[in-house]
Amino acid sequence: GAVVSQHPSRVICKSGTSVKIECRSLDFQATTMFWYRQFPKKSLMLMATSNEGSKATYEQGVEKDKFLINHASLTLSTLTVTSAHPEDSSFYICSASSPDRGSMEAFFGQGTRLTVV
Amino acid sequence: AQSVTQLDSQVPVFEEAPVELRCNYSSSVSVYLFWYVQYPNQGLQLLLKYLSGSTLVKGINGFEAEFNKSQTSFHLRKPSVHISDTAEYFCAVDTGGFKTIFGAGTRLFVKA
């Protein structure tokens, strides 16, 4: 299967600072990437859909000014949590897909554990 | 809108016993169905998927699932579980746009 890499796997930041999480498709070009958030012992909630070269589409209730998404190339999407607060602490997972792969599934990164102190 | 319901939040089972994790979905269009496993502090691993064709799908680690269109279900089964199967299992649906909608998850706890 395809490989999607997320970096960093864990990050601790101070309240009020910003942190950037990268999602890369290593062996295919991803026209679409998705960002999910998982609260402790909860399911994954879709935050936004990121299409290369265009603005991300955010799900209802997700603050686009707080969670900045950039999909500048076909292999990289970034999620920046701006002015982070303890309530932003969570597990963030990205997925990537491309119709060209002929496989009707999205491929998931290993996730990033964000802790805001 | 699509949704996924996992009927059991926790399933305790003894080692070597069979297990079934239940999943129902709702969608007005054709769907692709998936089961993922998540071990503590790790990402998602795809267990199996149903795209089309045979309704009985076999996956990794001895798991299988059956797609039942009339009952809108996609239950996951394993005939004999191991301690190492203890994890969180997520049923998910995709209507073809690669946007995956997840169920709430089922915690499988295998006891010795």
Side-chain angles (χ1 to χ4, degrees):
Chain A
V3 179
V4 175
S5 174
Q6 246 180 278
H7 178 79
S9 57
R10 292 177 180 271
V11 59
I12 300 173
C13 71
K14 291 185 177 180
S15 229
T17 62
S18 296
V19 61
K20 180 185 288 187
I21 302 169
E22 293 185 347
C23 179
R24 293 181 184 272
S25 56
L26 298 186
D27 55 355
F28 70 102
Q29 293 185 324
T31 51
T32 305
M33 289 185 172
F34 300 90
W35 287 96
Y36 297 83
R37 180 175 181 176
Q38 185 180 30
F39 291 99
K41 300 187 187 301
K42 299 290 185 183
S43 187
L44 289 83
M45 303 301 296
L46 179 65
M47 297 174 67
T49 303
S50 168
N51 291 300
E52 187 268 336
S54 63
K55 289 185 178 180
T57 304
Y58 290 82
E59 297 298 303
Q60 192 173 7
V62 177
E63 298 176 62
K64 62 181 180 181
D65 294 329
K66 178 156 191 70
F67 298 101
L68 300 178
I69 292 172
N70 184 280
H71 193 159
S73 78
L74 286 171
T75 59
L76 174 63
S77 175
T78 60
L79 168 68
T80 302
V81 183
T82 63
S83 187
H85 291 284
E87 56 264 31
D88 299 323
S89 298
S90 197
F91 194 58
Y92 294 87
I93 302 179
C94 71
S95 71
S97 64
S98 173
D100 296 337
R101 283 195 54 81
S103 172
M104 298 305 294
E105 69 177 279
F107 300 95
F108 287 83
Q110 288 304 101
T112 297
R113 172 78 58 194
L114 171 63
T115 303
V116 184
V117 298
Chain B
Q2 306 84 37
S3 67
V4 180
T5 302
Q6 290 183 244
L7 297 161
D8 307 293
S9 59
Q10 294 186 72
V11 173
V13 63
F14 284 103
E15 193 174 21
E16 297 184 7
V19 70
E20 178 179 82
L21 306 184
R22 298 180 293 169
C23 173
N24 286 90
Y25 69 93
S26 66
S27 175
S28 58
V29 298
S30 297
V31 296
Y32 304 110
L33 295 158
F34 307 86
W35 275 99
Y36 291 90
V37 60
Q38 185 179 37
Y39 298 101
N41 297 312
Q42 295 189 25
L44 298 178
Q45 182 179 10
L46 179 67
L47 277 178
L48 48 79
K49 59 187 176 185
Y50 171 78
L51 305 181
S52 65
S54 173
T55 57
L56 182 63
V57 180
K58 294 190 181 297
I60 62 171
N61 301 342
F63 284 94
E64 64 180 33
E66 185 156 18
F67 170 59
N68 188 318
K69 187 174 182 178
S70 63
Q71 297 186 7
T72 60
S73 68
F74 190 55
H75 301 332
L76 180 70
R77 302 185 184 99
K78 185 169 183 177
S80 175
V81 294
H82 301 289
I83 297 287
S84 59
D85 292 323
T86 294
E88 190 83 22
Y89 291 79
F90 293 99
C91 181
V93 63
D94 178 346
T95 56
F98 300 106
K99 181 188 290 188
T100 307
I101 307 299
F102 288 88
T106 297
R107 170 84 174 152
L108 175 62
F109 179 59
V110 182
K111 301 177 286 186

